[in-house]
Amino acid sequence: MTVNILFAAHPKRWAEYENPLHKALEKTGITYSLKTEFPPEEVDYIVYAPNSDVQDFTPYTRAKAVLNLWAGVESVAPNPTLKLPLARMVGGGLTEGMVEWVTGHTLRHHLGMDAHIVNPSNQWQVRIPPMANERPVTILGLGELGLACGRALAALGFPVTGWSRSPKSVDGITTCHGTDGLKDALKGAEIIILLLPNTPATENTLNAETLGLTAPGAFVINPGRGTLIDDDALLAALDSGQIAHATLDVFRVEPLPSDHPYWAHEKVTVTPHIASETRPGPAAEVIAENVRRGEAGEPFLYLVDRTQGY
Ligand code: NAP
């Protein structure tokens, strides 16, 4: 029987994904049909992005899974019409991209690169940065992306502490977990990287109280989600000098409104949610593997725990 696979992402994405998906699906040996439209009751798998027109899953009575192209699932996991297994994107180029982005922005702040790159009066400024092993880095969120970034930074010599919901043991990384563990993770941190998902439990993880725990003059780097930070508290911490600079890739409202104080703040770098993007070639392999597993009766990879929201 033909397996019907609906591509339900933003229409602009079809041109990028069509060929890589065919290439990956053909390798599975499954007889399939891949299209952007089917009668809903004939669909077996939904390749999905949360900005798709498909928001009501009720008519997809035969479908076996929703296969998300994004790592973040906050706008699909709580959908009350979704009763199917939901798999998120892990791999698909996301990990490599995030490691590059996080390492680049960490090194920018660690090495004080701005003073030399933006030096309009041509001053000969000799400022020797500390060694990486003298610069404690804390990563909030020690999942697929946080762990990969932590390992890359630890390999450069940074003392890395990671914080997660459940306890973990990772070679070369000091780990903390739970509410009490957050204080230990932030105490004395000089660079704080947020790679938590957007869930009710992670909202405002960085707030007036927790920002006060870091080393004075720390750097905040947020490629996670905008909701992880209390914006007013961060602005106050930047103005007081408790936080020296914030590099922010994600915001509560995107695109960031033109009158938002972050745009004009001299201690804030805004990047437009580009820290890491799913790449069609490797992502198609992940999708095809989950279709293969579904057809073989094997467990799906990267299932979202809907009770936790990630
Ligand atoms: P993941 O594998 O699900 O990891 C999430 C981590 O956060 C886990 O370590 C988890 O703890 C921890 N966590 C969740 N809730 C927590 C809580 N209440 N307290 C403490 N720790 C908590 O996710 P991922 O693939 O690494 O992705 C992380 C996030 O990055 C995504 O959700 C998305 O928002 C963001 N992202 C951004 C971009 C971009 O371009 N800016 C691209 C991709 C992803 P456990 O290990 O105990 O479960």
Side-chain angles (χ1 to χ4, degrees):
M1 207 175 90
T2 302
V3 173
N4 291 334
I5 303 168
L6 174 71
F7 183 83
H10 194 282
K12 277 189 197 155
R13 296 292 184 182
W14 178 236
E16 295 165 30
Y17 276 92
E18 184 180 5
N19 287 339
L21 279 169
H22 278 301
K23 208 171 148 193
L25 286 163
E26 277 159 19
K27 282 194 271 179
T28 65
I30 292 167
T31 306
Y32 71 92
S33 170
L34 172 70
K35 293 197 286 193
T36 56
E37 275 182 46
F38 284 104
E41 65 281 6
E42 292 178 14
V43 170
D44 294 297
Y45 296 91
I46 306 175
V47 178
Y48 192 70
N51 58 0
S52 150
D53 290 341
V54 175
Q55 296 297 328
D56 179 6
F57 293 94
T58 316
Y60 295 89
T61 47
R62 180 171 114 183
K64 293 180 186 159
V66 173
L67 307 174
N68 204 46
L69 290 168
W70 299 1
V73 291
E74 66 272 16
S75 49
V76 57
N79 186 325
T81 69
L82 179 59
K83 312 284 185 204
L84 303 165
L86 169 66
R88 67 194 195 91
M89 182 53 64
V90 171
L94 280 167
T95 307
E96 297 89 329
M98 189 60 82
V99 167
E100 290 178 16
W101 190 91
V102 163
T103 306
H105 287 278
T106 298
L107 288 176
R108 167 194 172 193
H109 295 307
H110 168 61
L111 296 174
M113 289 181 181
D114 290 18
H116 309 291
I117 293 170
V118 184
N119 186 10
S121 51
N122 299 334
Q123 287 182 39
W124 185 265
Q125 309 169 75
V126 179
R127 298 185 201 177
I128 309 298
M131 298 289 285
N133 64 17
E134 298 167 309
R135 177 87 75 185
V137 173
T138 287
I139 304 192
L140 303 181
L142 213 49
E144 291 294 327
L145 301 178
L147 197 54
C149 292
R151 287 194 167 121
L153 294 174
L156 288 173
F158 292 100
V160 176
T161 298
W163 180 65
S164 52
R165 191 170 56 82
S166 53
K168 288 197 191 312
S169 170
V170 183
D171 274 354
I173 297 180
T174 304
T175 54
C176 312
H177 69 278
T179 313
D180 292 343
L182 179 61
K183 291 185 188 132
D184 295 334
L186 289 176
K187 206 175 272 175
E190 293 187 20
I191 298 181
I192 299 95
I193 298 158
L194 292 108
L195 275 167
L196 294 161
N198 172 4
T199 70
T202 61
E203 179 150 18
N204 294 333
T205 297
L206 281 192
N207 54 41
E209 187 193 345
T210 53
L211 283 164
L213 298 170
T214 71
F219 301 99
V220 169
I221 299 178
N222 185 14
R225 282 293 183 261
T227 51
L228 304 177
I229 298 181
D230 175 335
D231 294 321
D232 290 339
L234 177 59
L235 287 163
L238 288 161
D239 291 340
S240 74
Q242 171 65 10
I243 299 299
H245 195 104
T247 295
L248 308 174
D249 184 57
V250 283
F251 306 90
R252 283 166 196 268
V253 178
E254 295 180 5
L256 185 66
S258 57
D259 60 351
H260 196 285
Y262 283 150
W263 280 119
H265 205 292
E266 60 178 1
K267 295 180 181 173
V268 175
T269 299
V270 171
T271 64
H273 201 140
I274 44 83
S276 185
E277 178 75 8
T278 308
R279 311 293 164 140
E285 301 287 340
V286 177
I287 298 289
E289 171 59 11
N290 257 341
V291 172
R292 188 201 66 72
R293 284 171 168 256
E295 291 310 291
E298 295 174 19
F300 291 113
L301 294 172
Y302 316 132
L303 282 179
V304 171
D305 177 349
R306 310 264 306 272
T307 60
Q308 296 297 338
Y310 71 98

